[in-house]
Amino acid sequence: MTLHATAPPVVRTRAERRARARRRLTPYAYVAPFFALFAAFGLFPLLYTAYVSLYRVELQTPGEMEWRGLDNYTVLLGDEFFWTALRNTFTIGVISTVPQLLMALGLAHLLNYRLRARAFYRVAMLLPYATSVAAATLVFAQLFGRDFGLINWVLGLAGIHPVDWQSGTWSSQIAVSTIVIWRWTGYNALIYLAGMQSIPAELYEAAAIDGASRWQQFLHVTLPGLRPTVVFTVVVSTIGATQLFGEPLLYEGKITGGISHQYQTLGLYMYEQGWGYFHLGRAAAIAWVMFSLIVLLVGVNAALARRRKLQEASR
């Protein structure tokens, strides 16, 4: 019969236990301020907005709340201006996001080469992003003026009749989208440039040895290496397009988004209901519809990216 010696139990002093507890709790203490701020300024407003959306609340008497249940949401579904704002948000988002990201990709590809004064060009790319939204929108509103705007003057030189950039549906949406494109193209170009510079140079050298042209290198080396960055910019641009507010508000200075609501977005529609008609409960419902729409669009983008990745892995 073999006897095995058992180790004596480890006895820790109170100071050792405190030191061990501090080591365990220190990482949580470092991240606690973020979660506290997120709970106070992110999670609580989100949940409180969902709570308010179930009540009838007026701006003049915010303390008087009348239970409505889902009536605020059913009223929205029956309001034609809600569907107009939803359609405008989608169309303005498409005609501003797609050209913006394509132009940003092209500019980043040019800046990726060794050019003179590269630092100047990169700083110049950020100038529109650093410009005030109000100042940029007011300038573009003057440029797109019907009678004395510079855009119509240039079109007149080409023999094209003046365009009413504020009353027309597509023309006003194109004008608002132009402001968004001008402001965010350089920002996305720098993001793409950072992604391009993280691609190993050996891949380009191997492609050049195989006889690939610069266009072929861009298609088969640059774009696959930028796929995570492209997905990120698409998601961020989708969120920004859904929340578009400042540009359509300041373009003509009307919360209705034009005479016939032709460029009123969901953000502008929410502002009209809450601070124009004083229906805070209905505005809260619109905010939650926007949040649900953003979650849905981001989920669709993530699912498409994952599906494409699985298809490439199975080849």
Side-chain angles (χ1 to χ4, degrees):
M1 181 175 179
T2 305
L3 297 177
H4 298 279
T6 58
V10 178
V11 179
R12 292 187 175 90
T13 63
R14 183 177 298 179
E16 291 176 340
R17 290 196 296 270
R18 290 179 178 176
R20 187 177 182 183
R22 281 197 300 270
R23 287 194 297 269
R24 289 181 176 180
L25 296 177
T26 296
Y28 298 100
Y30 282 122
V31 298
F34 165 78
F35 286 103
L37 292 174
F38 174 75
F41 300 102
L43 185 61
F44 173 74
L46 182 66
L47 298 179
Y48 186 72
T49 302
Y51 171 76
V52 172
S53 68
L54 303 177
Y55 287 84
R56 180 180 181 273
V57 187
E58 301 298 321
L59 184 62
Q60 302 93 328
T61 56
E64 300 177 5
M65 304 178 66
E66 177 185 347
W67 173 258
R68 293 286 301 271
L70 298 177
D71 287 351
N72 286 326
Y73 294 93
T74 56
V75 169
L76 288 181
L77 297 179
D79 188 359
E80 62 174 334
F81 292 127
F82 166 75
W83 295 106
T84 300
L86 180 62
R87 183 175 62 252
N88 293 340
T89 301
F90 175 78
T91 54
I92 293 176
V94 171
I95 61 180
S96 63
T97 299
V98 175
Q100 172 194 150
L101 296 183
L102 291 177
M103 292 171 60
L105 190 61
L107 291 173
H109 184 62
L110 292 176
L111 290 177
N112 196 31
Y113 291 108
R114 293 185 178 180
L115 302 174
R116 293 182 179 179
R118 284 187 300 175
F120 170 77
Y121 293 130
R122 294 175 185 179
V123 173
M125 288 288 180
L126 279 179
L127 287 180
Y129 173 72
T131 305
S132 169
V133 179
T137 305
L138 292 177
V139 170
F140 273 90
Q142 297 297 320
L143 293 176
F144 283 103
R146 185 187 62 180
D147 298 323
F148 304 103
L150 180 62
I151 304 297
N152 277 340
W153 179 76
V154 174
L155 294 177
L157 296 178
I160 302 175
H161 294 288
V163 179
D164 192 348
W165 295 102
Q166 293 181 339
S167 299
T169 300
W170 281 105
S171 58
S172 60
Q173 292 183 6
I174 290 174
V176 173
S177 300
T178 303
I179 307 172
V180 180
I181 293 172
W182 176 83
R183 189 162 186 264
W184 289 98
T185 298
Y187 176 84
N188 288 309
L190 291 183
I191 294 179
Y192 286 148
L193 179 61
M196 290 179 182
Q197 292 181 344
S198 65
I199 300 176
E202 292 79 6
L203 297 178
Y204 291 100
E205 295 175 358
I209 293 174
D210 291 338
S213 63
R214 287 191 172 183
W215 174 247
Q216 291 174 331
Q217 293 177 24
F218 177 76
L219 290 179
H220 301 289
V221 178
T222 304
L223 287 183
L226 277 182
R227 185 168 293 116
T229 308
V230 171
V231 172
F232 169 77
T233 55
V234 169
V235 170
V236 172
S237 299
T238 301
I239 295 174
T242 307
Q243 297 176 337
L244 192 62
F245 174 75
E247 289 84 352
L249 174 64
L250 298 171
Y251 178 61
E252 200 176 357
K254 296 180 180 179
I255 61 176
T256 57
I259 299 176
S260 57
H261 298 249
Q262 66 268 18
Y263 59 90
Q264 185 183 51
T265 59
L266 284 176
L268 204 55
Y269 178 69
M270 178 183 66
Y271 184 84
E272 180 188 32
Q273 292 296 319
W275 282 264
Y277 300 142
F278 311 126
H279 303 322
L280 293 184
R282 196 174 301 175
I286 299 170
W288 255 87
V289 169
M290 293 173 61
F291 174 74
S292 303
L293 183 62
I294 290 173
V295 172
L296 176 63
L297 293 176
V298 171
V300 170
N301 285 328
L304 292 176
R306 188 180 299 111
R307 181 180 179 182
R308 183 178 180 85
K309 186 176 181 180
L310 292 176
Q311 289 177 349
E312 292 181 353
S314 60
R315 290 176 182 176

